[in-house]
C-alpha cells in the first residue's frame, strides 16, 4: 500500500464508496487508447499555494530534521543518512523539501479550517501541522518496513517510535477542549492497525478503497480533531479527506501499474479487471516486459479501456472530495480539488 509521496467505523455492512458511478464522458471515451507508458507520467494538477500556505509547508519540511535531532546524539546523523538513503536519493535538498512532494490537500485542510474559524492558538496550530507531518512519515515508514523495502534496524525502530510519540502527544494536546475526543483518537488508531494487521477481504474496487481508508486513518486524526475544535462538520470533513486519499491511492496505482503486476501486488487495476480476466494479472508476477504474459495483460488493459476507467474513478473521487468540501463550507479546500483534477479531466 505504498504511496508515492508513496483508517472508518470498525465494520462495514456495505461499501462506503461506490466507484462504479463514474463520469461517463471518461468511461465511454474512445477517442484515444491510453497506454501503459503514458500512465507512468499521469499526475494531478499543480495546486497554487499562497504565502501563508508556503510558510506552512516550510514548517512541515523542517519536521524531519527536528525529528532526527530529537534522537539520542549517537543516532542523529545516522537517522539523517538513513532517511536520505530510502526517501530522498541521498540529496540533502530533497530532505529539506520532504513534504513538498505531497499533494497539498494532505495538510491544507487544517489551514482552511483554521482560516475560516481561527480558534487554535499559534502554538496549537504549529503542533497540528507537526503532528500531521509525523502521521505521514509513520504511515510511509510502517509500509516500507512491513513489506521489506527497508530492512528493520534499531535505528529505524527508534526513529519510528519517536515520530509516533510526537504525533500521539500532539493529537492528545488537541483533545483537551473536546469531550470524549481521546476515544476518537484511539478509534482511528485502532482502525489503522486493524486495516494493516487484520485486513478485511478485498474482492472489488469498492472494498479495496474501503480498506485503504482504514490504512490511511492515522493521517485523518489531526484533521478530525481540528474540525472538532473549529466546529466544522466532521462527517463532511472526513468524506472530503478520504475521497482525496482514495484518488491519490488510485493515481499511484495507475502510475505503477507495470511494477505492481510484476511484483504480484493486487492494485486497483487488478480489481477493475473482470473476474474471469484477473488471471492475466496474476500470471505476470515475477515476469518482465518481454514476457508473453505481460504482453497479453498490457494489450487487454489498453484495448479494453481499463486504464481510462481508472482515471474516471480518480476524477469521481476528486469530485466527491470537492462536493463534501463545498458542503462543509471549505471553499478554498474545494478549489484545490478542482486544480488537482484539471489535467485528468482533459485526458
Amino acid at each position: 500500500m505504498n504511496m508515492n509521496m508513496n483508517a472508518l467505523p470498525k465494520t462495514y455492512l456495505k461499501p462506503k464508496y461506490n466507484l462504479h458511478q463514474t463520469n461517463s464522458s471518461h468511461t465511454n471515451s474512445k477517442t484515444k487508447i491510453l497506454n501503459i507508458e503514458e500512465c507512468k507520467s499521469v499526475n494531478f494538477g499543480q495546486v497554487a499555494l499562497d504565502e501563508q500556505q508556503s510558510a506552512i509547508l516550510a514548517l512541515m519540511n523542517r519536521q524531519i530534521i527536528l525529528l532526527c535531532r530529537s534522537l539520542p546524539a549517537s543516532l542523529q546523523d545516522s537517522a539523517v543518512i538513513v532517511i536520505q538513503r530510502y526517501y530522498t536519493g541521498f540529496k540533502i535538498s530533497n530532505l529539506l523539501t520532504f513534504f513538498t512532494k505531497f499533494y497539498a490537500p494532505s495538510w491544507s485542510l487544517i489551514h482552511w479550517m483554521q482560516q475560516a474559524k481561527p480558534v487554535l492558538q499559534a502554538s496549537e496550530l504549529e503542533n497540528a501541522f507537526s503532528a500531521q507531518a509525523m502521521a505521514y512519515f509513520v504511515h510511509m515508514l510502517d509500509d516500507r518496513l512491513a513489506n521489506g523495502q527497508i530492512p528493520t534496524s534499531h535505528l529505524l525502530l527508534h526513529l519510528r517510535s519517536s515520530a509516533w510519540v510526537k504525533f500521539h502527544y500532539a493529537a492528545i494536546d488537541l483533545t483537551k477542549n473536546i469531550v470524549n475526543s481521546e476515544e476518537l483518537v484511539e478509534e482511528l488508531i485502532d482502525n489503522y492497525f486493524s486495516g494493516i494487521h487484520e485486513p478485511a477481504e478485498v474482492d472489488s474496487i469498492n472494498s479495496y478503497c474501503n480498506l485503504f481508508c482504514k490504512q490511511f486513518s492515522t493521517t485523518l486524526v489531526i484533521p478530525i480533531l481540528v474540525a472538532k475544535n473549529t466546529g466544522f462538520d466532521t462527517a463532511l470533513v472526513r468524506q472530503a479527506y478520504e475521497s482525496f486519499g482514495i484518488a491519490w491511492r488510485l493515481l499511484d496505482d495507475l502510475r505503477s501499474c507495470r511494477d505492481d503486476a510484476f511484483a504480484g501486488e493486487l492494485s486497483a487495476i487488478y480489481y477493475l479487471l473482470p473476474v474471469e480476466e484477473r488471471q492475466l494479472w496474476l500470471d505476470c508476477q515475477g515476469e518482465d516486459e518481454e514476457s508473453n504474459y505481460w504482453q497479453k495483460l498490457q494489450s487487454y488493459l489498453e484495448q479494453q479501456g481499463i486504464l481510462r476507467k481508472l482515471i474516471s474513478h480518480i476524477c469521481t473521487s476528486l469530485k466527491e472530495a470537492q462536493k463534501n468540501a463545498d458542503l462543509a463550507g471549505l471553499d478554498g479546500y474545494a478549489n484545490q480539488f478542482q486544480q488537482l483534477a484539471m489535467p485528468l479531466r482533459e485526458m
Side-chain angles (χ1 to χ4, degrees):
M1 289 292 179
N2 181 43
M3 293 177 69
N4 287 333
M5 315 200 215
N6 54 53
L8 303 173
K10 296 181 181 178
T11 59
Y12 297 95
L13 297 180
K14 59 182 179 180
K16 183 174 182 179
Y17 294 94
N18 186 353
L19 294 184
H20 293 295
Q21 298 175 353
T22 56
N23 188 326
S24 60
S25 66
H26 294 280
T27 303
N28 298 326
S29 176
K30 300 295 182 182
T31 57
K32 180 179 179 295
I33 292 176
L34 184 65
N35 63 51
I36 297 288
E37 194 62 31
E38 290 174 302
C39 289
K40 290 169 63 178
S41 59
V42 172
N43 205 352
F44 289 145
Q46 185 71 34
V47 171
L49 301 180
D50 59 23
E51 184 176 350
Q52 189 174 7
Q53 292 175 76
S54 296
I56 292 168
L57 182 56
L59 182 154
M60 290 187 65
N61 282 329
R62 291 195 294 272
Q63 300 311 307
I64 297 299
I65 294 295
L66 292 176
L67 172 64
C68 293
R69 289 177 178 171
S70 72
L71 302 179
S74 60
L75 296 179
Q76 292 178 13
D77 290 344
S78 296
V80 169
I81 291 171
V82 77
I83 293 173
Q84 286 182 273
R85 176 180 180 183
Y86 292 114
Y87 289 108
T88 71
F90 284 107
K91 294 182 179 178
I92 190 65
S93 59
N94 289 342
L95 182 65
L96 299 176
T97 57
F98 191 88
F99 290 102
T100 301
K101 60 185 176 182
F102 286 54
Y103 300 109
S106 64
W107 52 265
S108 66
L109 174 55
I110 300 167
H111 160 73
W112 292 115
M113 289 188 287
Q114 170 71 2
Q115 185 181 64
K117 300 178 182 180
V119 173
L120 298 177
Q121 299 297 315
S123 60
E124 294 174 317
L125 189 60
E126 182 173 342
N127 216 22
F129 285 115
S130 172
Q132 189 68 351
M134 292 300 98
Y136 270 102
F137 181 74
V138 170
H139 176 82
M140 295 171 62
L141 186 56
D142 277 2
D143 188 59
R144 295 196 179 190
L145 287 171
N147 65 23
Q149 286 182 292
I150 298 179
T152 303
S153 67
H154 287 92
L155 169 62
L156 283 170
L157 290 176
H158 191 64
L159 185 66
R160 193 265 183 203
S161 296
S162 296
W164 182 267
V165 168
K166 286 170 70 71
F167 157 71
H168 196 254
Y169 278 139
I172 295 302
D173 185 58
L174 287 170
T175 69
K176 60 181 179 290
N177 297 320
I178 307 170
V179 177
N180 297 325
S181 54
E182 289 192 27
E183 288 82 353
L184 172 63
V185 172
E186 295 305 322
E187 176 200 343
L188 289 168
I189 291 173
D190 185 61
N191 283 340
Y192 167 69
F193 283 110
S194 69
I196 61 173
H197 181 61
E198 296 179 342
E201 181 180 354
V202 174
D203 58 8
S204 68
I205 187 67
N206 290 323
S207 56
Y208 176 81
C209 292
N210 286 336
L211 176 60
F212 175 70
C213 281
K214 297 187 77 172
Q215 296 171 335
F216 195 53
S217 68
T218 47
T219 70
L220 179 62
V221 170
I222 301 302
I224 289 295
L225 290 177
V226 172
K228 282 189 169 291
N229 274 282
T230 53
F232 278 94
D233 186 318
T234 55
L236 292 173
V237 167
R238 187 170 188 163
Q239 285 277 15
Y241 184 83
E242 288 176 344
S243 295
F244 155 69
I246 285 174
W248 188 358
R249 172 72 268 170
L250 298 182
L251 177 68
D252 190 58
D253 286 354
L254 179 71
R255 291 161 62 97
S256 62
C257 172
R258 183 181 309 175
D259 292 341
D260 288 341
F262 295 157
E265 179 76 27
L266 301 186
S267 76
I269 296 176
Y270 170 82
Y271 292 107
L272 284 177
L273 291 168
V275 174
E276 63 273 14
E277 301 294 344
R278 289 178 180 176
Q279 190 61 42
L280 288 172
W281 183 277
L282 299 176
D283 288 338
C284 289
Q285 183 172 0
E287 299 291 335
D288 57 33
E289 295 180 17
E290 303 302 320
S291 74
N292 290 333
Y293 292 121
W294 170 248
Q295 298 299 326
K296 290 179 182 179
L297 175 62
Q298 180 178 5
S299 177
Y300 188 89
L301 294 175
E302 294 174 353
Q303 298 298 324
Q304 298 302 314
I306 303 297
L307 303 173
R308 193 168 291 283
K309 186 177 181 180
L310 184 56
I311 289 180
S312 184
H313 289 327
I314 296 169
C315 289
T316 297
S317 292
L318 290 175
K319 186 176 181 180
E320 183 72 11
Q322 181 185 339
K323 180 190 77 174
N324 284 288
D326 276 328
L327 289 173
L330 294 166
D331 297 342
Y333 197 50
N335 183 57
Q336 290 189 334
F337 295 125
Q338 285 186 307
Q339 295 177 67
L340 291 181
M342 193 173 299
L344 299 174
R345 289 171 178 164
E346 295 173 353
M347 293 186 69

